[in-house]
Amino acid sequence: DQQVKQNSPSLSVQEGRISILNCDYTNSMFDYFLWYKKYPAEGPTFLISISSIKDKNEDGRFTVFLNKSAKHLSLHIVPSQPGDSAVYFCAAKVGSSNYQLIWGAGTKLIIKP
Amino acid sequence: KAGVTQTPRYLIKTRGQQVTLSCSPISGHRSVSWYQQTPGQGLQFLFEYFSETQRNKGNFPGRFSGRQFSNSRSEMNVSTLELGDSALYLCASSLSGPQADTQYFGPGTRLTVL
């Protein structure tokens, strides 16, 4: 049972346009969400996070939106650049002491020139 | 500051064998977590070590084990390898634990079981 779902395995976006990556979760106990970016042959790198007390967090070209009632979060990249081509993972935090990150399967973003 | 390093980068084993993977965290980081990544499954949490103690464990069979040394370096061992163990194994380090701050990942060890 996947608690964190990224239903789009891949997404293709024109350079300069907005990229929107989606993530749905089922566990209402999640209180912290993170996005990671992964290039081939490298480990994931932290991109941006959001706490459940917020509905938006912005960092430069990257904005994450959280809709708790819909159990949905999205990552917006504006404008999209060729270097943004990577696999994007969303992850959610469970619990406060016995910590585990629950990861989605990832979405491969391809930025077309 | 040097990043997280993992050795070896690639490994080919046959069913029934055992394997040991190594992870050196960023200097000063005391928490090391291990993940398994397979296509279409994302990252599956294996376990986390902090100050030489396993602090958290995922839902993997006992064939998967680990340890952490006093210098925070960590090893992961898989015994009696199965074909389904073929995956990218990632380790991540953080200062005090994944819940307190972000994790920094190594490049991974690609394990192929034949």
Side-chain angles (χ1 to χ4, degrees), chain B residues 14-50:
Chain B
T14 55
R15 279 182 301 174
Q17 286 187 307
Q18 76 161 24
V19 67
T20 299
L21 312 181
S22 180
C23 172
S24 292
I26 291 172
S27 177
H29 284 193
R30 296 168 65 188
S31 169
V32 174
S33 298
W34 288 89
Y35 295 86
Q36 181 194 66
Q37 185 192 358
T38 51
Q41 292 295 318
L43 277 70
Q44 304 292 317
F45 174 76
L46 280 153
F47 28 67
E48 184 224 353
Y49 284 86
F50 183 83

Side-chain angles (χ1 to χ4, degrees), chain B residues 85-105:
Chain B
D85 297 333
S86 295
L88 180 68
Y89 290 88
L90 293 159
C91 82
S93 78
S94 59
L95 279 169
S96 57
Q99 76 266 31
D101 46 47
T102 58
Q103 304 176 89
Y104 295 86
F105 282 84

Side-chain angles (χ1 to χ4, degrees), chain A residues 2 34 36 38 41-46 49 87 89 93 95-106, chain B residues 9-10 35 37 40-45 48 55-58 88 90 98-99 102-108:
Chain A
Q2 280 190 298
L34 305 93
Y36 282 81
K38 185 181 185 301
E42 294 182 14
T45 54
F46 170 74
S49 62
V87 177
F89 293 95
K93 172 180 173 280
S96 56
S97 56
N98 291 326
Y99 177 87
Q100 278 194 39
L101 265 181
I102 309 298
W103 295 72
Chain B
R9 293 293 310 277
Y10 302 92
Y35 295 86
Q37 185 192 358
Q41 292 295 318
L43 277 70
Q44 304 292 317
F45 174 76
E48 184 224 353
R55 193 162 63 171
N56 205 1
K57 190 177 188 301
L88 180 68
L90 293 159
Q99 76 266 31
T102 58
Q103 304 176 89
Y104 295 86
F105 282 84

Side-chain angles (χ1 to χ4, degrees), chain A residues 36-105:
Chain A
Y36 282 81
K37 179 166 81 171
K38 185 181 185 301
Y39 293 118
E42 294 182 14
T45 54
F46 170 74
L47 193 56
I48 192 169
S49 62
I50 188 167
S51 163
S52 60
I53 62 172
K54 292 185 173 181
D55 53 19
K56 176 183 173 182
N57 189 25
E58 194 172 350
D59 184 4
R61 296 186 299 112
F62 303 90
T63 303
V64 57
F65 295 92
L66 176 62
N67 183 333
K68 288 187 289 293
S69 60
K71 296 192 180 69
H72 176 84
L73 65 155
S74 60
L75 174 68
H76 292 211
I77 306 174
V78 182
S80 299
Q81 299 175 354
D84 296 330
S85 295
V87 177
Y88 289 79
F89 293 95
C90 73
K93 172 180 173 280
V94 175
S96 56
S97 56
N98 291 326
Y99 177 87
Q100 278 194 39
L101 265 181
I102 309 298
W103 295 72

